[in-house]
Amino acid sequence: MRFAFFEHVIRTGTIWLKRFRRALKAKEPGNPFLKTVKIFSLPLNTHIECKMVLDSGCDLNMISARTLRDLLMFEYMDKNLEDLCVCLNGGNLSSIGTITLRWKGKQFRKIFTTTFHVIDGDSLPWQVILGADTIIEHGILKFAGFGGRRIPILPKTTKDEKKEKSKRKDNHRDEAAKNDVKVDADVRQKEEAARQERIATDDSSSAMSWSSANNSRKY
């Protein structure tokens, strides 16, 4: 019986531990600068999903040679060996060529055309990098699909529309003033009617009192 009790306790503890781990895993924040994009492949005549890093600390746009081969676009590259920069480990980052690709975000239709440096290497931890210049040029971070807010752009108001709007405001102001005058007149009229009613009531009361006094003297 004691063994069954301990077995039940262990089983219950294991279940709660699994639930706790799932809750922590669900709340783990993702990388806000790693986005899924769709790059158009000419040979396949379709868009292929890739992972793009938005790197505001890098001025260049880069794509790995492996990703380009997956797109079947490696043969479309303009070959040109070029040293781009010096990495943190002291080594040179070299480009084997450039290619211009059309791509779009996963959740919106706007298509961008961007030139990328092609980087060869089997151990690259990324597929595509979008540099600061392109991010700023196209306002990438303003798009809802890249974490920005969709801000509606209202059309400009023409002169005729401004005049019409001003005219409506003036008419509304005049109508409000007329209504105020009417309300004040109604209030004064009611007050005057109430005052006249009080005077009539007082006169009636005085007349009744005078009549009663005369009747008392006769008797």
Side-chain angles (χ1 to χ4, degrees):
M1 184 175 181
R2 184 177 299 177
F3 176 77
F5 171 76
F6 282 113
E7 185 179 6
H8 174 71
V9 171
I10 294 173
R11 187 182 298 110
T12 304
T14 302
I15 293 173
W16 279 104
L17 181 61
K18 288 181 179 179
R19 290 179 179 177
F20 180 71
R21 287 177 176 174
R22 281 198 297 267
L24 287 180
K25 186 176 181 180
K27 294 182 179 180
E28 286 181 358
N31 183 356
F33 298 102
L34 181 63
K35 301 296 181 179
T36 300
V37 298
K38 295 182 177 181
I39 301 178
F40 187 75
S41 169
L42 285 175
L44 299 176
N45 194 29
T46 188
H47 288 84
I48 305 298
E49 288 191 1
C50 300
K51 292 295 184 180
M52 174 182 284
V53 178
L54 305 181
D55 191 349
S56 59
C58 177
D59 295 331
L60 303 174
N61 306 312
M62 294 178 284
I63 186 171
S64 68
R66 175 181 292 180
T67 302
L68 205 58
R69 291 189 178 95
D70 292 340
L71 294 170
L72 303 182
M73 293 286 288
F74 190 81
E75 301 300 327
Y76 293 83
M77 174 185 64
D78 294 329
K79 296 182 180 180
N80 181 29
L81 296 177
E82 181 182 358
D83 291 334
L84 301 178
C85 62
V86 178
C87 301
L88 294 177
N89 59 7
N92 290 327
L93 180 64
S94 301
S95 168
I96 61 175
T98 58
I99 187 171
T100 300
L101 299 171
R102 291 188 298 151
W103 61 277
K104 63 180 182 179
K106 187 177 180 180
Q107 298 177 358
F108 54 91
R109 297 180 179 179
K110 181 176 176 59
I111 297 177
F112 302 94
T113 301
T114 305
T115 299
F116 294 90
H117 288 278
V118 182
I119 310 299
D120 198 8
D122 295 330
S123 59
L124 294 176
W126 46 265
Q127 290 184 295
V128 186
I129 291 179
L130 197 68
D133 292 344
T134 304
I135 293 174
I136 296 172
E137 178 185 357
H138 297 295
I140 297 296
L141 296 179
K142 295 180 181 179
F143 287 87
F146 284 138
R149 295 181 177 180
R150 193 181 301 278
I151 302 174
I153 300 175
L154 300 177
K156 293 183 178 180
T157 306
T158 62
K159 291 182 179 180
D160 292 339
E161 290 174 339
K162 289 181 179 178
K163 288 181 180 179
E164 183 64 24
K165 186 177 181 180
S166 178
K167 184 179 179 180
R168 286 197 301 267
K169 285 184 177 180
D170 293 340
N171 292 337
H172 176 73
R173 189 161 43 245
D174 293 340
E175 291 294 331
K178 291 178 181 179
N179 186 61
D180 291 340
V181 171
K182 184 178 179 181
V183 170
D184 291 340
D186 291 342
V187 170
R188 285 196 298 270
Q189 185 177 0
K190 290 180 181 179
E191 290 177 348
E192 181 63 22
R195 189 178 69 84
Q196 293 295 337
E197 186 178 353
R198 285 196 300 270
I199 291 174
T201 301
D202 293 341
D203 291 343
S204 177
S205 298
S206 299
M208 291 177 64
S209 298
W210 182 80
S211 177
S212 296
N214 287 337
N215 291 334
S216 298
R217 289 173 186 172
K218 289 179 182 180
Y219 290 113

